[in-house]
Amino acid sequence: MIAPMCLFCRILEGEMAADVVRETGLSLAFRDINPQAPTHILVIPRRHVANLFELAEYAGELADVVALAGSIAEEEELDKGYRLVANTGSQAGQSVYHAHLHLLGGRDLGWPPG
Ligand code: DGP
């Protein structure tokens, strides 16, 4: 049996629609379908790896994801602050096992997170 393609890989392949914000040769950024803040954007590598830690093996691609998130934060005028979140594993609430950063901003963000 062939395994179904990862959800974010399907977005990368254009098989599923997404509200794309920006892209680079290595990364794609699109708005989260279930936003938790006025700005809630997912930044993902084109490479399929399960989480951000696995992406650390590919330093240039990790840097591209982080730099793209920071650049979008500037464009979204999140000058008062924003949060980059990488849920890793089920106990942290990871639901899609393709590395991604959540870029959250536009409201006061509580600490500690839930
Ligand atoms: P996480 O729970 O950390 O793995 O984050 C996965 C995020 O992906 C979650 O906030 C909801 C979002 N998401 C799930 N399915 C879709 C989709 O089809 N389109 C978009 N744009 N976002 C999705």
Side-chain angles (χ1 to χ4, degrees):
M1 198 176 98
I2 299 171
M5 198 193 276
C6 149
L7 179 67
F8 288 174
C9 286
R10 292 180 65 200
I11 289 175
L12 284 162
E13 293 292 324
E15 287 179 15
M16 269 191 65
D19 184 359
V20 172
V21 176
R22 283 267 300 278
E23 60 185 309
T24 71
L26 297 174
S27 310
L28 182 74
F30 53 94
R31 294 194 190 274
D32 195 290
I33 203 168
N34 184 23
Q36 301 300 313
T39 294
H40 187 172
I41 291 167
L42 300 171
V43 187
I44 71 171
R46 293 186 185 278
R47 178 185 297 279
H48 178 88
V49 290
N51 57 50
L52 213 66
F53 175 63
E54 288 191 9
L55 192 64
E57 275 193 44
Y58 308 94
E61 293 167 54
L62 176 64
D64 196 78
V65 165
V66 175
L68 182 56
S71 155
I72 294 169
E74 284 184 2
E75 282 172 7
E76 296 272 319
E77 300 181 342
L78 301 179
D79 42 297
K80 287 199 214 157
Y82 59 88
R83 189 169 291 165
L84 298 179
V85 174
N87 296 324
T88 305
S90 58
Q91 196 164 29
Q94 185 174 5
S95 58
V96 179
Y97 283 78
H98 181 125
H100 53 283
L101 275 179
H102 296 257
L103 166 61
L104 294 152
R107 66 167 171 83
D108 291 337
L109 297 167
W111 193 263

